[in-house]
Amino acid sequence: MIRRNTGFSNLTAGYLFPEIAKRRREYAASHPDAKIISLGVGNTTEPLTPHITSALAKYASALGTPEGYSGYGDEQGNTALREKIARVFYGGKIAPEEVFISDGAKCDIARIQTLFGRDVNVAVQDPAYPVYVDGSVVAGAAGANTGSGYEGITYMNCTPENNFFPDLTKIQKDSLIYFCSPNNPTGAVATREQLKTLVDFANANGCIIIFDAAYFCFIRDEKLPKSIFEIEGAKTCAIEVNSFSKPAGFTGVRLGWSVVPNELKYADGSSVRADWNRVMTTLFNGASNIAQAGGLAALDDEGLAEMKSLVDYYLENARIIKSALTTEKFKSAGVEVYSDGNAPYLWVRFPNRKSWDVFDQILDQCRIVTTPGSGFGPAGESFIRFSAFGHRADVEEACRRLANLTL
Ligand SMILES: *Cc1c(COP(=O)(O)O)cnc(C)c1O
């Protein structure tokens, strides 16, 4: 019999979202009349916008005509879209050939592991989006889970005590460093100075940063960097993964991109971009042409304006939730809310409590599903992540209910 990939045997059960779903189900079964509101998962809720929707529809219809039909496109993506991303999002500082269109950031994060194999050291922020760790484990770049994390993975604490920016000295030389800003789950956005520190560290220590910028469009503070490539020196040490999922509501449509600079090299001097080109052409076969037509429309003036108002809607939700959690009652109970208006998540600490206990209490007393911070890593203990993805009326109702939470 064929043996199982040891990467899979090392992988411990996906605990967080199945466990949340189970507790929600049990609560619903014993409270059949309760209207449960979810401020839990990071999934978009508002409809696609008109200009972008019409481009998707037009392209899809044209595919049903002899003139409008096309089959496989370039595996790296539609040339016009690569050019437009380079120009609109990177101000022309990135060449179109360095932009690779994909079916989403998460998929690219998983595929990126193929570039570095099983021997690479991996460092992740703690707490973190689960695919960085799980993808590394499946690829064989990590060992067994010892209970306090996987062997071979360096967990970098990101807490209010260090302004959510980790101590880099714990990272081994020649590591792959996953870094997410604006961060899921903490909502923290790294400053220009912090990213410069990270880039300098990576260049000095032979590391490559996988920079997840999936929430860049939520940044409203002009001083904060939206891309790692705004930082001098990043082209020799960073790959950026990005996505239309959150800016355009393409979570179901599926469209993302990665930027792999020409200057990025392995230890032997060969080109990382050349290998990524190989990954995209031989292991991937191009993003959906319909989705790419939507991406093109998203990047013209009307599309950009639509994306901005879509994101503004979620940012307003975040503001509303923040005001509900910063009333005198919450303040005097010592509840700390981390949310500065540049991310769709609020990271909220309930001192001396366990995340799962607070989760259960909010579900029981307010009929609101949240996400326990400890599910994103040990440094998330005592925290709850509130997601601002939701319909306004639900968010407002959730906030009324939160006023009744006993603290
Ligand atoms: C939502 C999200 C993404 C986007 O993933 P897609 O596969 O493009 O939908 C990437 N990274 C983080 C941290 C996310 O939360």
Side-chain angles (χ1 to χ4, degrees):
M1 295 263 275
I2 290 179
R3 264 185 297 164
R4 191 179 186 200
N5 173 350
T6 50
F8 274 102
S9 2
N10 282 335
L11 199 62
T12 43
Y15 171 70
L16 180 60
F17 289 103
E19 181 63 25
I20 291 172
K22 176 172 161 266
R23 292 190 190 203
R24 178 187 177 139
R25 238 178 3 255
E26 287 170 0
Y27 183 83
S30 54
H31 301 80
D33 296 329
K35 183 180 175 291
I36 298 174
I37 296 174
S38 176
L39 298 181
V41 291
N43 198 356
T44 50
T45 55
E46 301 312 297
L48 296 175
T49 55
H51 175 68
I52 299 174
T53 305
S54 120
L56 289 166
K58 215 190 267 172
Y59 193 91
S61 297
L63 285 176
T65 66
E67 308 75 41
Y69 178 75
S70 60
Y72 292 123
D74 292 336
E75 296 95 336
Q76 303 91 335
N78 176 319
T79 304
L81 182 58
R82 299 172 83 188
E83 287 170 358
K84 221 164 173 177
I85 287 175
R87 183 159 37 83
V88 175
F89 288 145
Y90 299 97
K93 287 195 209 123
I94 290 293
E97 65 172 25
E98 297 173 309
V99 178
F100 293 84
I101 310 299
S102 74
D103 53 350
K106 192 184 204 173
C107 323
D108 273 354
I109 291 162
R111 280 187 288 260
I112 275 170
Q113 288 283 348
T114 58
L115 296 176
F116 305 101
R118 357 176 6 109
D119 296 330
V120 70
N121 301 315
V122 172
V124 296
Q125 289 166 288
D126 174 18
Y129 184 55
V131 66
Y132 313 141
V133 168
D134 289 0
S136 304
V137 174
V138 169
N145 192 331
T146 61
S148 55
Y150 290 94
E151 289 167 354
I153 293 189
T154 302
Y155 295 84
M156 308 182 288
N157 249 272
C158 293
T159 61
E161 287 63 41
N162 60 13
N163 283 321
F164 299 101
F165 190 76
D167 174 8
L168 303 177
T169 59
K170 283 179 64 183
I171 304 172
Q172 299 181 60
K173 273 187 167 301
D174 309 333
S175 286
L176 201 56
I177 305 171
Y178 288 93
F179 199 94
C180 179
S181 176
N183 191 271
N184 178 7
T186 67
V189 187
T191 64
R192 210 167 281 282
E193 294 69 31
Q194 287 173 333
L195 288 189
K196 179 74 175 129
T197 305
L198 180 67
V199 162
D200 288 348
F201 178 89
N203 277 322
N205 292 281
C207 298
I208 290 181
I209 302 160
I210 308 299
F211 189 77
D212 185 340
Y215 295 98
F216 78 98
C217 56
F218 287 85
I219 296 178
R220 288 291 181 269
D221 180 343
E222 299 278 324
K223 292 191 295 297
L224 294 170
K226 293 182 172 170
S227 163
I228 190 82
F229 297 114
E230 291 179 34
I231 309 302
E232 199 191 328
K235 284 188 177 180
T236 50
C237 68
I239 291 174
E240 181 164 295
V241 293
N242 218 321
S243 175
F244 284 92
S245 283
K246 311 297 164 25
F250 273 23
T251 38
V253 174
R254 310 301 307 144
L255 189 69
W257 72 93
S258 287
V259 176
V260 186
N262 282 317
E263 291 90 329
L264 190 66
K265 299 289 195 289
Y266 297 105
D268 67 359
S270 63
S271 159
V272 175
R273 198 202 84 91
D275 279 1
W276 186 246
N277 190 58
R278 187 72 189 267
V279 169
M280 294 308 270
T281 53
T282 58
L283 306 182
F284 183 61
N285 224 354
S288 150
N289 48 13
I290 301 173
Q292 293 190 80
L296 271 170
L299 292 183
D300 59 29
D301 288 344
E302 261 176 289
L304 288 167
E306 286 183 354
M307 287 198 290
K308 178 162 185 304
S309 40
L310 189 59
V311 168
D312 281 343
Y313 182 92
Y314 295 125
L315 283 172
E316 176 64 9
N317 282 350
R319 200 195 55 75
I320 293 169
I321 300 167
K322 184 177 180 176
S323 48
L325 293 170
T326 48
T327 56
E328 206 41 53
K329 173 182 132 148
F330 280 90
K331 276 191 192 145
S332 54
V335 174
E336 302 161 26
V337 180
Y338 297 92
S339 161
D340 57 7
N342 297 293
Y345 299 116
L346 296 94
W347 190 237
V348 181
R349 178 148 65 185
F350 293 79
N352 307 314
R353 304 275 317 269
K354 293 273 185 206
S355 296
W356 277 110
D357 293 345
V358 181
F359 169 92
D360 282 336
Q361 194 197 340
I362 295 175
L363 178 58
D364 188 44
Q365 295 185 348
C366 308
R367 300 167 318 279
I368 299 170
V369 176
T370 57
T371 309
S374 56
F376 296 100
E381 188 59 275
S382 293
F383 287 87
I384 290 287
R385 187 191 75 175
F386 286 85
S387 161
F389 292 111
H391 302 311
R392 180 66 45 79
D394 290 341
V395 167
E396 286 169 344
E397 170 62 16
C399 289
R400 280 191 287 276
R401 294 180 188 176
L402 282 168
N404 300 320
L405 186 70
T406 57
L407 294 163

